[in-house]
Amino acid sequence: MKFLFIGIAVLAMSPVLAQSDSTLSKPPVLSLIFGQETAIRGVVREVVNAKQVPLTGATVRWLGTSSGTVTDSLGRFSLPVHQTATQLIASYVGYQSDTLAVTNSSAELLITLRSERTLQEVTVSGSPGQIDRINPIQTELITQRTLAKAACCNLSESFETNASVSVSYSDAVTGSKQIQFLGLGGQYVQTNVENIPTVRGLATTFGLNYIPGTWITSIDVGKGAGSVVNGYESMSGQMNVELQKPDDKQTLFLNGYVNSFGRVEGNANWSKALSKKWSMGVLGHASTQRTEIDQNNDGFRDLPLYTQVNAINRYKYSSERFMAQFGVKALYEDRDGGQLSRSEQSGMAPRYSFLNTTKRLEFFSKTAKLYPDKPYKGLGLILNGVHHEQTARFGFSPYDGRQQTLYANLIYQTIIDNTNHSVKAGLSYLLDDYRENYKIIRTARTESVPGAFAEYTYIYPEKLTVVAGGRVDFHNLYGTQFTPRLHLKYNLSDNLTVRASAGRGFRVPNPFAENFGYLVSSRTVVLTESLRPEVSWNYGLGLTNDFQLFSKKASLTVDYFRTNFQNQLIVDLEHPRELYFYNLRGQSFANSFQVELNVQPTRRFDIKAAYRLFDVKQSMGAPFGEERLLPKMMVSRDRILLNAGYALPFDKWKVDATLQWNGPRRIPYLGEGYVHTGYENMPVTNAPGFYNLNAQVSRAFQSGWEIYLGGENLTGFRQQNPIVAPNDPFGPGFDAGSQVWGPITGQMVYAGFRFKPQI
């Protein structure tokens, strides 16, 4: 840890930051650093039967620019202060637009829109889709209302109603979850928390479980190569998670949860204004699973026993000329999976157990200096330090890992002549120190990567946005890396938008941490060669159309993305007795096509229907003198999602249901007698498709209390035999990772409460 805090102190005292005469904070830079804190806030509504009803999906933007946003499920919006524009325009299909002058950026705005039709009663048709209409990157917004459609206990459970992101268990023992995005694993998505890269490195395995859902205020899911401002590791997409801020108006939030499998958890969010300029916040989480579940009677726990304690303490200072935010995160978790306890008590063979303990400590700070007389410029600094320790045991096989990371990002922004031309530029530094030991395999590396980036944005008002960026990073181990990226957005009409993107991605893989579930087996791990960094190019094209369907507002989104790998870590499970890691020789690509329709057929009734197609293949077997292009394992070619939600006025009652069909996927061929006979004539084995149904009903009270009851996997489908040779876990054929393709547990019922005091 020592070098982390020394590095933080050195950066904090850098002479560059001391040159206050050249620094200035511009709201877009502050938005990048602080989330949506330096912004105009308000509510867009309309009046129905003398009652104020929020308008979901209304567009709010600065007049004469393309800088804007979309209101959430409660009609609320938050829009960064513009450097020159002083008038806001609010618009909504079927309603008269309203323009108003902003004279006080700290006051909350109330905007009331009126229907263009002369009717006795106005039917509000909220926008069921949440595509960011302003962002040139194809970005879906997941709001708190969307998160509340499910229990959403952590980030891995936040995508149940999302068609773009799918989540599944990676094996039958550890309880770790993996996401798939554009046909690729979660390691290819740059997952940020408030614009700080977070779920990466050794946190790849369980990192999604380390972000409680009740802490989250919103999630931005961007497809394709992300902005160069955030680094070079985004290959298939970029997610940014915003947490509750210290100065949030909702000062207290409590949540409790319990399910039929014996999982219990509690969450508490608390924020308080300490003075006119200072505020603080505490986010707390505790959860545990102490009940053994074995629904398929194979002698193994379907879910590991675990205990997690997780907390953030953060502070914010805000004045007219300076803004700062800093805090500390701490996490402890232990897991105990494997065979049931009775196997140990039987006095026969030793119990096969998976034990894992994680300790994680993190520091972060975000600072910006404000110059009110020069609002067109900006300068901000993000600092982050991480110490991550993880020890595990797979049966008799030990593992221990340590990661120490220092991250710094200095961002400067200005305009060229006018606001139609803007530039972001800056310097970054990433220091990663990894130590991993598995059995007799020892790996260690220290990556020191200083970098520089620049991004130019051109806006032709109401029509075109072009973002061209590039960064150069000087990697101490792998040389100079250049990362170009390009994003375009063109409005064909007021309601029809086309987007295109292209960009390069670069990352250094961590084979053990990213494939933890495959270690729950008797396979021999073989590193056939020195592993090289992964390099890919991503290309994307998307179309978004807002239209009227049977006089109701609807949206249609169609997109296609392709990821081509120049090099990739190949994880080869085709040999039943071995787990091979080697570099790509030949082809590896992932094609993703998705179409999504959102419509509101009646008032307060939302329907989403989506279809997703993956074509993902990679060359296998080249190090063994063979090469065959095979479909990537555990990736369903087809997926269909249907989601329906209904709410009574003021969300007194809410009912939501999501039905998914996951198509067949390729699984490793174990061969006859567990003998690998070659790649060329190896049969392609597919697991069957299956349906999954989740549903929830909730009841809110005026006192601020809300109770909810729901169920997951209500269709009850279970994979019957996810573990190979469970009766002989220390034998040569045991494998609990490579054959898991579906749900391991059946129907689960949960209940809980939420409490938000009335503001």
Side-chain angles (χ1 to χ4, degrees), residues 630-709:
L630 289 168
K632 185 172 175 58
M633 293 183 306
M634 302 302 174
V635 178
S636 293
R637 178 182 178 272
D638 306 283
R639 183 189 183 208
I640 297 174
L641 181 142
L642 296 173
N643 172 259
Y646 178 75
L648 290 178
F650 310 106
D651 290 341
K652 184 177 181 180
W653 284 94
K654 290 185 293 185
V655 180
D656 295 281
T658 302
L659 178 66
Q660 299 181 39
W661 180 72
N662 297 275
R665 66 192 72 190
R666 188 175 82 87
I667 58 177
Y669 174 67
L670 294 180
E672 296 184 8
Y674 299 96
V675 177
H676 180 68
T677 57
Y679 294 84
E680 185 175 351
N681 299 316
M682 180 181 65
V684 175
T685 306
N686 289 319
F690 61 90
Y691 287 93
N692 189 299
L693 175 65
N694 300 329
Q696 178 181 278
V697 58
S698 61
R699 171 70 162 91
F701 302 90
Q702 291 184 350
S703 59
W705 289 92
E706 181 180 355
I707 57 175
Y708 57 90
L709 176 68

Side-chain angles (χ1 to χ4, degrees), residues 36-312:
Q36 294 292 329
E37 297 183 18
T38 304
I40 297 291
R41 292 181 172 87
V43 177
V44 179
R45 62 190 182 183
E46 65 124 22
V47 178
V48 178
N49 295 331
K51 291 184 178 181
Q52 297 174 357
V53 179
L55 277 174
T56 302
T59 299
V60 182
R61 61 179 173 81
W62 290 105
L63 185 63
T65 75
S66 63
S67 176
T69 188
V70 179
T71 58
D72 64 13
S73 59
L74 299 178
R76 299 175 301 191
F77 68 89
S78 178
L79 181 62
V81 176
H82 199 272
Q83 51 266 51
T84 58
T86 59
Q87 290 183 303
L88 283 177
I89 181 170
S91 60
Y92 193 81
V93 176
Y95 292 77
Q96 298 176 5
S97 299
D98 188 20
T99 304
L100 68 158
V102 178
T103 57
N104 183 1
S105 60
S106 62
E108 185 171 81
L109 302 178
L110 297 177
I111 305 174
T112 302
L113 298 185
R114 301 185 182 279
S115 174
E116 293 177 345
R117 305 178 181 90
T118 304
L119 298 174
Q120 295 297 323
E121 181 180 355
V122 177
T123 300
V124 180
S125 54
S127 174
Q130 291 291 334
I131 298 296
D132 189 334
R133 301 179 185 178
I134 306 301
N135 199 330
I137 300 175
Q138 185 85 355
T139 302
E140 183 173 357
L141 308 176
I142 301 178
T143 63
Q144 281 185 316
R145 180 181 178 86
T146 304
L147 295 173
K149 290 185 175 184
C152 189
C153 296
N154 55 58
L155 182 60
S156 72
E157 297 164 328
S158 301
F159 305 105
E160 291 185 358
T161 62
N162 187 278
S164 301
V165 184
S166 57
V167 183
S168 61
Y169 285 105
S170 62
D171 61 89
V173 171
T174 69
S176 63
K177 292 186 177 182
Q178 60 183 3
I179 66 172
Q180 287 184 354
F181 191 69
L182 302 189
L184 298 170
Q187 67 269 31
Y188 298 107
V189 180
Q190 184 173 7
T191 303
N192 301 333
V193 174
E194 298 183 344
N195 296 295
I196 298 175
T198 301
V199 183
R200 58 182 301 274
L202 301 191
T204 303
T205 308
F206 300 108
L208 295 175
N209 295 18
Y210 296 160
I211 305 175
T214 53
W215 294 4
I216 300 172
T217 59
S218 66
I219 306 173
D220 294 346
V221 182
K223 293 186 175 183
S227 169
V228 295
V229 175
N230 293 311
Y232 51 79
E233 292 185 330
S234 170
M235 303 180 84
S236 64
Q238 183 172 286
M239 290 194 297
N240 185 57
V241 180
E242 290 292 330
L243 307 182
Q244 180 172 318
K245 306 298 188 294
D247 59 346
D248 197 298
K249 291 184 178 180
Q250 190 68 57
T251 58
L252 179 65
F253 176 77
L254 301 175
N255 169 255
Y257 168 93
V258 62
N259 70 25
S260 57
F261 293 159
R263 176 177 169 183
V264 179
E265 75 170 56
N267 300 278
N269 303 353
W270 178 70
S271 57
K272 179 179 176 60
L274 301 177
S275 67
K276 197 171 183 179
K277 297 180 179 180
W278 281 94
S279 58
M280 71 168 290
V282 176
L283 306 178
H285 168 86
S287 61
T288 187
Q289 166 96 29
R290 308 313 304 172
T291 303
E292 290 187 317
I293 304 293
D294 182 19
Q295 295 184 339
N296 59 3
N297 297 314
D298 62 1
F300 274 74
R301 296 169 179 168
D302 295 336
L303 297 171
L305 308 185
Y306 83 96
T307 298
Q308 182 188 126
V309 180
N310 194 353
I312 300 177

Side-chain angles (χ1 to χ4, degrees), residues 497-670:
T497 302
V498 62
R499 290 176 173 85
S501 65
R504 182 181 187 265
F506 167 88
R507 65 181 297 273
V508 181
N510 294 283
F512 295 141
E514 293 165 14
N515 299 278
F516 221 55
Y518 296 149
L519 303 182
V520 190
S521 68
S522 296
R523 292 173 179 264
T524 301
V525 176
V526 182
L527 299 172
T528 64
E529 57 191 324
S530 177
L531 300 179
R532 302 193 308 269
E534 297 182 300
V535 179
S536 70
W537 285 85
N538 182 279
Y539 311 92
L541 186 66
L543 187 70
T544 304
N545 185 28
D546 297 323
F547 62 99
Q548 293 284 320
L549 181 64
F550 305 116
S551 300
K552 306 297 181 182
K553 187 171 184 181
S555 67
L556 178 68
T557 303
V558 181
D559 58 53
Y560 168 78
F561 287 86
R562 178 180 176 89
T563 306
N564 274 330
F565 283 92
Q566 294 180 332
N567 185 57
Q568 186 181 25
L569 171 66
I570 300 299
V571 182
D572 192 336
L573 294 166
E574 309 302 341
H575 299 251
R577 305 293 190 187
E578 292 85 27
L579 169 61
Y580 285 97
F581 295 108
Y582 52 84
N583 297 305
L584 173 70
R585 294 176 178 83
Q587 300 182 66
S588 179
F589 59 83
N591 296 317
S592 170
F593 171 79
Q594 182 173 314
V595 56
E596 180 176 320
L597 174 67
N598 291 272
V599 65
Q600 191 176 64
T602 62
R603 186 175 176 181
R604 297 184 298 274
F605 182 34
D606 297 327
I607 293 179
K608 174 192 292 187
Y611 170 71
R612 191 188 68 189
L613 171 69
F614 285 155
D615 176 28
V616 186
K617 294 181 180 179
Q618 56 186 193
S619 297
M620 308 287 292
F624 311 101
E626 301 179 69
E627 184 175 324
R628 181 180 177 187
L629 190 64
L630 289 168
K632 185 172 175 58
M633 293 183 306
M634 302 302 174
V635 178
S636 293
R637 178 182 178 272
D638 306 283
R639 183 189 183 208
I640 297 174
L641 181 142
L642 296 173
N643 172 259
Y646 178 75
L648 290 178
F650 310 106
D651 290 341
K652 184 177 181 180
W653 284 94
K654 290 185 293 185
V655 180
D656 295 281
T658 302
L659 178 66
Q660 299 181 39
W661 180 72
N662 297 275
R665 66 192 72 190
R666 188 175 82 87
I667 58 177
Y669 174 67
L670 294 180

Side-chain angles (χ1 to χ4, degrees), residues 317-329:
Y317 174 84
S318 181
S319 68
E320 185 180 4
R321 295 184 175 275
F322 186 76
M323 186 174 291
Q325 188 178 146
F326 57 91
V328 177
K329 305 178 183 180

